[in-house]
Amino acid sequence: MQDPPFTAGEDLNPYRIAQQQVDQAARYLPHLRRGLVDFLKQTARIVTVDFPIETDDGSIRMFTGYRALHSRVRGPGKGGLRFHPDVTEDEVRALASWMTWKCAVVNVPFGGAKGGVACDPRQLTTNDLRRITRRYIAELEDCIGPNTDILAPDVGTDAETMAWIYDTYEMMHPGRNNLPVVTGKPLDLGGAPGRREATALGCLFAASRALQRGILPGRDSLKGATVVVQGFGNAGGIAAQLFAEAGARIIAVSDSEGGITDRCGLDIPLVVAHKEKTRSVTGLPGCEPIGNAELLLLPCDILIPAALENQIRADNAAKVQARCIVEVANGPTTPTADRILFERGIPVLPDILANAGGVTVSYYEWVQNVKMEEWELEEIHAKLQKKMEHAADAVLDKQEELNRSLDGLVPASRRVEEPGEPGSQPLPRADLRTAAYVVALDRVAQTATERGVWP
Ligand code: NAD
């Protein structure tokens, strides 16, 4: 485990945060056996690979990659591959665990996994990235497979990377259908129509449902809502486009270089064109520049963090002026920030619900590949909408159910036994993240119980 990063007295280690989130939910499920919860909190397997690459600048450089399998209780491991300089073992463990809970929230029959290589794609050529991808996949040997652990895109990787993954795996296992080993592939290589925009579209469906159900009093749709998006990549950039098309006013966006803002609303197709030309959203004529830290504090209806973990923390949560947060990124809000936001009445539509559209359409791609079928875009969008709305309803219903039953108890009875501290912890009203984890943990625990502890 790496040294824990601490900021403002807060533990920002993503794996410990992921485990705390499970513990928090387990308090609302007193029937679960403690040992079972301990099992479901742990990474089942983590593989580390160190390998050399001869880069285009003529040097030989070492890279470290990880593949974590968190759980296969409900199906094969499923999770993206991240290329980013800050990738660590604990980040990959956390991301793998969030995949397990996400798949359970949307009821997709996968477990959780994730991979990462510590590298900076902006400093590497396409050839370098292809060699890194191929060597990483070759080093993983049979730790991945179409029925055991399936990859997908994440930060710093895209459909082209997925094509290299498929091609490498196919070279290693000729003569069988290897298409389902990776999703998010190009369309002509077994990719699903709609996968590129699936995370953002799923988020739009979940957010629209939550608005219809009244999470923001006085605003029951995206029409006219002011929206701020941090991170303008595959997930956040497309979310900005789709939310704008649904009638929202996108008043600020950013990427790793910085942000831009316009209170009257940014012209998102112009931002996209500018980013394609210059590789950044910054510097678009006619907009005000804004820093990433400041952007998170802009007054708006919906703040969409769509970059990396730990953006909304103990040190800035009290200053957030958004009326609600919709998490497209994985892990952007820390547990302390969650508490502060909940006390301030700012709902957070959690990552394991709001960004689950990506894995949902990945599941459709996997089914297509296994059955050697081709599905239509309209069919995929309709299925995605249904899945996301059901999942949003399940989470919102669970929050209402948990809080209704708490409200029916006298405060002294709202206590649960914690290991080593019997009866000492009052059970707080549940936020949406807790409700989503309760839904997910209950489903995974039930399957684990039905299967029994092996041997
Ligand atoms: P991406 O690489 O396409 O885009 C990431 C974006 O974030 C880029 O615009 C980058 O410049 C920006 N960024 C990086 N550091 C930043 C910082 N400090 N401040 C502001 N912006 C910064 O990655 P992506 O696939 O869009 O993933 C973004 C987030 O969404 C990640 O948390 C990822 O795990 C999550 N996610 C992605 C998918 C998917 O299908 N791509 C699915 C579910 C969740």
Side-chain angles (χ1 to χ4, degrees), residues 82-84 95 99 102 114 122 152-158 195-196 198-200 230-237 254-258 275 279 281 292 295 305-309 311 327-332 351 355-359 362:
R82 176 173 292 195
F83 285 173
H84 192 276
L95 289 162
M99 286 305 295
K102 188 181 307 183
K114 203 79 175 197
R122 293 178 72 101
D154 193 75
V155 174
T157 60
D158 56 16
R195 174 60 185 89
R196 201 183 73 87
T199 303
Q230 184 205 42
F232 205 77
N234 177 51
S254 69
D255 58 27
S256 55
E257 308 285 308
K275 168 132 191 167
R279 299 187 70 191
V281 298
N292 260 305
L295 169 133
L308 297 168
E309 300 89 346
Q311 299 301 302
E327 294 184 333
V328 164
N330 285 302
D351 47 7
N355 73 26
V359 75
S362 274

